[in-house]
Amino acid sequence: MKVLVPVKRVIDYNVKVRVKSDETGVDLANVKMSMNPFDEIAVEEAVRLKEAGTASEIVAVSVGPEKAQDQLRQALAMGADRAILIKTDAEVEPLGVAKLLKAVCAAENPELVIMGKQAIDDDSNQTGQMLAALTGWPQGTFASKVAKDGDRLKVTREVDGGLQTVSLSLPAVVTTDLRLNEPRYASLPNIMKAKKKPLDVKAPEDFGIDIAPRLKVLKVTEPPKRTAGVKVADVAALVDKLKNEAGVI
């Protein structure tokens, strides 16, 4: 079974995000970039499927600037066999990414696409669902457990009421949640081996996909700063403030 794993280059989750002074976006100057944490979980799950003998090949793919090769090399060091970078310096919306991934699926014919449920930069939580809709494949979102069941894939997913288990025919799209696994650290020997693994660089034009944005960002602002709290003398004063000032009761 060939597995396709999309990964995204995002600001490292440990970095405090700064908004540009003109409110046109987020300041990326001299900021540490990393692989999206949910995509790390997807790569780890794909590697585990290969180690279990379920998957035969893992192909990592990313849509982004040339520096996204760093994140693809990380995926290769974790255990992916080869990588594809669709190079573009433009901001690509989830629909554009889903269309590009559909084109990659048509060229690679994977039986499984496993990806993070969302990226921590835009929090859209859309690409996996859009890819499933465009390809017509079944989907298992917010997966907390993935297991091969004969010629089908059994996915346990997190829902509001608890857990739901679905059985998917292949090919399928799966999006990963935090509790699926704990990603491994790439060892130094594997990091060195990753430098020799194949990494193809393509462009959106090679697939004939229009990635022009459909949305326009008007402005980006920081959340309002929290004001200092106050102490009240008794319960009556607390109720009065909650009712007349906060308006919550």
Side-chain angles (χ1 to χ4, degrees):
M1 179 174 73
K2 180 187 288 189
V3 181
L4 188 73
V5 188
V7 300
K8 186 177 183 181
R9 176 182 172 87
V10 299
I11 295 177
D12 188 88
Y13 68 92
N14 286 313
V15 173
K16 178 175 172 54
V17 177
R18 302 189 308 270
V19 175
K20 293 180 180 178
S21 58
D22 59 3
E23 297 185 340
T24 58
V26 173
D27 187 4
L28 300 180
N30 302 315
V31 172
K32 181 183 178 183
M33 307 294 285
S34 301
M35 185 191 301
N36 179 47
F38 290 102
D39 295 338
E40 273 192 273
I41 294 170
V43 174
E44 173 66 25
E45 192 64 23
V47 173
R48 293 188 184 188
L49 288 172
K50 186 178 180 182
E51 290 173 343
T54 301
S56 56
E57 184 182 21
I58 302 170
V59 182
V61 58
S62 186
V63 179
E66 186 172 358
K67 289 184 177 180
Q69 292 187 34
D70 296 340
Q71 283 64 51
L72 288 173
R73 291 293 179 194
Q74 180 185 346
L76 293 172
M78 290 176 67
D81 298 293
R82 56 190 178 90
I84 301 170
L85 171 63
I86 304 175
K87 182 182 171 184
T88 175
D89 292 322
E91 286 287 335
V92 187
E93 295 172 356
L95 180 59
V97 175
K99 289 181 177 180
L100 288 170
L101 292 178
K102 179 190 176 184
V104 173
C105 288
E108 294 288 338
N109 292 314
E111 290 185 74
L112 173 64
V113 178
I114 185 166
M115 60 199 300
K117 68 173 184 178
Q118 65 193 78
I120 62 172
D121 54 358
D122 58 19
D123 276 335
S124 293
N125 183 17
Q126 295 175 335
T127 306
Q129 292 89 329
M130 288 178 170
L131 176 61
L134 290 172
T135 56
W137 294 355
Q139 60 181 307
T141 55
F142 317 128
S144 60
K145 185 178 180 181
V146 176
K148 189 81 184 302
D149 183 22
D151 59 348
R152 301 178 71 85
L153 198 68
K154 187 174 290 186
V155 177
T156 301
R157 55 190 303 269
E158 299 188 359
V159 296
D160 290 340
L163 298 176
Q164 178 189 60
T165 301
V166 294
S167 179
L168 309 178
S169 60
L170 298 174
V173 177
V174 172
T175 68
T176 61
D177 213 332
L178 282 174
R179 279 161 286 279
L180 179 59
N181 61 51
E182 183 71 29
R184 69 191 67 189
Y185 288 102
S187 64
L188 182 58
N190 286 336
I191 292 173
M192 301 306 292
K193 290 177 184 177
K195 295 180 179 180
K196 298 181 179 180
K197 291 184 178 181
L199 194 160
D200 296 329
V201 180
K202 298 183 179 295
E205 295 76 21
D206 296 336
F207 299 99
I209 302 298
D210 177 22
I211 58 171
R214 268 67 171 177
L215 304 175
K216 180 181 179 181
V217 177
L218 300 180
K219 66 176 181 177
V220 178
T221 59
E222 292 188 5
K225 297 187 184 303
R226 293 181 62 180
T227 56
V230 295
K231 289 185 176 181
V232 293
D234 50 36
V235 175
L238 174 62
V239 172
D240 180 67
K241 285 186 175 293
L242 290 176
K243 183 176 182 180
N244 298 316
E245 292 185 19
V248 294
I249 58 174

